[in-house]
Amino acid sequence: MAENNTKNSNKHNALIKTGIVGVVAGLLGGGVAYAGLSQINGQNAPQTTVAPTAKVEKSKSKNSSQMTNAFNTVKNSVVSVVNLKRQSSSSTSDPFGIFGSDSSSSSKKNSKSDLETYSEGSGVIYMKSNGKGYIVTNNHVVSGSDEIQVILSNGKKVTAKKVGTDAETDLAVLTIDGKYVTQTAQFGSSKNLEPGQQVIAVGSPLGSEYATSVTQGIISAKNRTVDVTNSSGQVTNQATVIQTDAAINPGNSGGPLVNMSGQVIGINSMKLSSSSDGTAVEGMGFAIPSDEVVSIINQLVKNGKITRPKLGIRIVSVDELTEYGRKKLGLPDSVKSGVYVASVTKNGSAEKAGIKARDVITKIDGKDVDSVVSLHTALYAHKIGDTVTLQVVRDGKSQYIKVTLS
């Protein structure tokens, strides 16, 4: 009896197991086994309900746009630029330091030596000549480096050499072996840019991990004057730059700002992240105009440096002075614009010519001087040793003074 009970129990368990398998098969088999089980149980088979599904249709939009074509025109010429140092440093000579335009790190190790990755930026290959590829980037990206490494668009790392740098315009030229160059970018003139014109910024935001990233925006202003600062945050000069709302982030420094034709119309150099009162700012990036870039890098390739004539004076734009400042300086109401001479360098060109502190320079060679930038622009069109004629206002009276530039 015990044996029969055991057999009956085994048969019962087998039927249960069969039933379970049937249920599982029904769940996996789309209802076929489930219908069979229902008929065994004497029930009518239910109607099978098919779940609705989403489909991917063939895209009706074009695969490429004008901006896509522009990106493809330059993408393989854009590189990441890595500043390698043998020891960490807490400062750079970034003239635009208040904007924070590079991606810095003192912890990344370079495997081939004791060099460390101090900062990363971007650059663009603009020329191939005499077996070399020429790259323009920002001076602050490569400043103070013991070695420079360039990461190409295909990920290959090669060593680069400095040709020349210019801290005042924040530009630098590097070279790599020409055999690595597969594409070069072309410059387009920045002279005729218009606000609202579409542009893209290409580079390595936050470093080479995001190399060849592209962002799109417009030209917000084609001639914007911003202060140039040294590593201590002191204003040393002013620069005329292109303002754009294309996203520019740390690491984009030195990368190209590109128009719809795929031409480089600026070199991205900085962004404004907050105002003087601490207010957060979005969509305010700045690029060095291509016309100035070409002029500077050609001189760097030829001479390795930029030599500029100087007057030997410290100045401030009259239109930046408050009413209180004007009265304190004794400026007459008739002087609406120009540059105020705050001090004169001993034995400099200006002092030798008779320029004095508190003079206001209003013209140079007959051309109006209405800002620090306009004075520098006029000066830099000359060479050392040239003589220029300054029109100055002194004690409310205008006079002309000839100055030999040194």
Side-chain angles (χ1 to χ4, degrees), residues 24-307:
V24 173
L27 294 175
L28 300 179
V32 176
Y34 181 83
L37 184 62
S38 297
Q39 290 176 356
I40 291 174
N41 291 332
Q43 299 174 359
N44 293 327
Q47 296 294 322
T48 301
T49 302
V50 179
T53 58
K55 296 181 180 180
V56 177
E57 301 290 345
K58 184 177 180 180
S59 177
K60 295 181 181 179
S61 63
K62 294 182 179 180
N63 292 328
S64 63
S65 66
Q66 192 167 0
M67 298 313 294
T68 301
N69 293 334
F71 172 67
N72 290 334
T73 300
V74 300
K75 67 178 182 180
N76 291 326
S77 65
V78 180
V79 300
S80 296
V81 180
V82 184
N83 181 327
L84 300 172
K85 292 188 179 184
R86 288 194 172 84
Q87 59 183 6
S88 60
S89 173
S90 61
S91 65
T92 68
S93 58
D94 174 3
F96 298 111
I98 57 173
F99 297 101
S101 300
D102 61 348
S103 174
S104 299
S105 170
S106 60
S107 61
K108 298 180 182 178
K109 296 289 184 179
N110 183 273
S111 59
K112 71 177 183 177
S113 69
D114 60 346
L115 294 172
E116 295 180 346
T117 297
Y118 176 73
S119 65
E120 293 186 28
S122 304
V124 58
I125 305 171
Y126 69 91
M127 181 172 66
K128 182 179 180 180
S129 178
N130 299 323
K132 298 178 181 179
Y134 289 81
I135 299 169
V136 59
T137 185
N138 282 147
N139 173 68
H140 77 262
V141 171
V142 298
S143 179
S145 61
D146 290 312
E147 187 173 309
I148 301 171
Q149 190 177 74
V150 165
I151 305 177
L152 305 174
S153 60
N154 60 8
K156 185 174 183 60
K157 298 179 180 180
V158 298
T159 299
K161 296 180 179 179
K162 287 183 187 179
V163 174
T165 62
D166 182 49
E168 193 157 329
T169 57
D170 195 24
L171 291 171
V173 175
L174 314 174
T175 57
I176 59 173
D177 194 317
K179 68 182 181 181
Y180 299 117
V181 178
T182 61
Q183 187 180 56
T184 58
Q186 293 183 337
F187 289 102
S189 177
S190 55
K191 182 178 180 180
N192 298 318
L193 292 176
E194 295 293 339
Q197 181 177 333
Q198 288 187 321
V199 290
I200 54 175
V202 189
S204 305
L206 304 183
S208 54
E209 182 180 356
Y210 299 100
T212 324
S213 292
V214 57
T215 55
Q216 184 176 1
I218 61 171
I219 298 294
S220 303
K222 64 178 183 178
N223 291 309
R224 186 72 75 195
T225 300
V226 296
D227 289 334
V228 178
T229 63
N230 59 20
S231 58
S232 301
Q234 296 176 323
V235 177
T236 59
N237 200 355
Q238 287 184 305
T240 301
V241 293
I242 300 167
Q243 181 185 332
T244 179
D245 70 343
I248 296 176
N249 292 289
N252 273 119
S253 298
L257 189 67
V258 180
N259 64 15
M260 295 178 70
S261 298
Q263 298 173 314
V264 178
I265 47 88
I267 295 298
N268 301 319
S269 187
M270 52 188 164
K271 65 177 291 187
L272 186 63
S273 57
S274 63
S275 62
S276 58
D277 63 358
T279 302
V281 175
E282 294 291 342
M284 292 188 69
F286 302 94
I288 306 166
S290 57
D291 287 352
E292 180 176 8
V293 171
V294 171
S295 175
I296 295 299
I297 62 178
N298 284 342
Q299 293 181 63
L300 289 177
V301 170
K302 183 179 180 180
N303 304 317
K305 61 181 181 179
I306 305 296
T307 303

Side-chain angles (χ1 to χ4, degrees), residues 308-312 348-350 352-353 364-365 375-376 378-390 402-406:
R308 295 180 175 87
K310 295 184 177 180
L311 288 171
S349 299
K352 291 179 180 178
I364 178 169
D365 290 334
L375 177 61
H376 285 163
L379 283 178
Y380 297 162
H382 290 275
K383 299 177 181 179
I384 294 175
D386 287 352
T387 298
V388 297
T389 301
L390 301 181
K402 290 185 179 295
V403 182
T404 299
L405 302 175
S406 61

